[in-house]
Amino acid sequence: MIEYKFYQELMERNYKMGETDCFGLIRDLYDKKYGILLPNFARPKNFFDPRINVYARIVAEPYFKERGLCPTTFKEGDILAFRIGADLVNHVGVYLGNKLFLHQMFNAQPREENLDDRWLRRLYMAHYHVDVPV
């Protein structure tokens, strides 16, 4: 389980599209916890537009691999991709372990949540970074 000390200071930050948003949270956590600096893909306001599809560009990088959709196989540090009222991925979080994930919704502060049925219904895919220790 990812210890709270690695993301404690991230919990109080305010939302800012393209900087301190759901992907920015993952970038910052990966840097603090694993020393991995993910590219800062541009995330315009309509990032979930099919012509842009930022998430597809992110996971197309060779260091990301599919984990699948079975929660019992998720490992700490997995990126969870969600479709919330959309056909394309428009939200991401990071799996903390013990059925918890960390994410930052639009115009909100980051929070831990249970990966319960409500979130599993919206889950599109889980990916892992090849350099994150298992």
Side-chain angles (χ1 to χ4, degrees):
M1 174 120 173
I2 297 177
E3 301 88 8
Y4 184 68
K5 67 181 179 183
F6 287 108
Y7 58 91
Q8 179 178 6
E9 70 183 44
L10 301 175
M11 298 294 283
E12 297 179 16
R13 69 193 206 167
N14 293 317
Y15 182 91
K16 185 172 181 185
M17 176 64 87
E19 292 180 31
T20 54
D21 54 13
C22 59
F23 183 67
L25 181 69
I26 291 172
R27 287 186 76 240
D28 293 344
L29 180 63
Y30 263 55
D31 187 27
K32 291 181 82 57
K33 170 70 174 152
Y34 306 114
I36 297 171
L37 187 57
L38 298 174
N40 191 15
F41 292 92
R43 298 176 302 283
K45 187 174 183 177
N46 57 344
F47 68 92
F48 50 88
D49 182 306
R51 295 167 296 187
I52 299 171
N53 200 350
V54 173
Y55 187 72
R57 289 180 44 222
I58 292 168
V59 298
E61 296 294 329
Y63 43 79
F64 281 116
K65 305 292 180 197
E66 277 190 19
R67 174 81 66 204
L69 287 171
C70 182
T72 60
T73 66
F74 295 167
K75 308 287 186 214
E76 87 169 36
D78 283 359
I79 294 177
L80 305 178
F82 299 96
R83 295 185 295 197
I84 302 174
D87 292 331
L88 292 174
V89 170
N90 59 359
H91 186 58
V92 292
V94 62
Y95 190 69
L96 299 172
N98 294 333
K99 298 181 183 177
L100 291 174
F101 73 105
L102 180 69
H103 67 123
Q104 184 168 7
M105 295 290 289
F106 181 75
N107 282 336
Q109 290 183 310
R111 63 181 180 233
E112 298 172 328
E113 285 208 56
N114 287 318
L115 188 59
D116 57 20
D117 286 341
R118 177 175 63 109
W119 286 104
L120 290 172
R121 282 192 303 274
R122 297 174 171 141
L123 185 64
Y124 173 73
M125 183 58 64
H127 286 85
Y128 66 94
H129 192 288
V130 296
D131 293 330
V132 169
V134 285

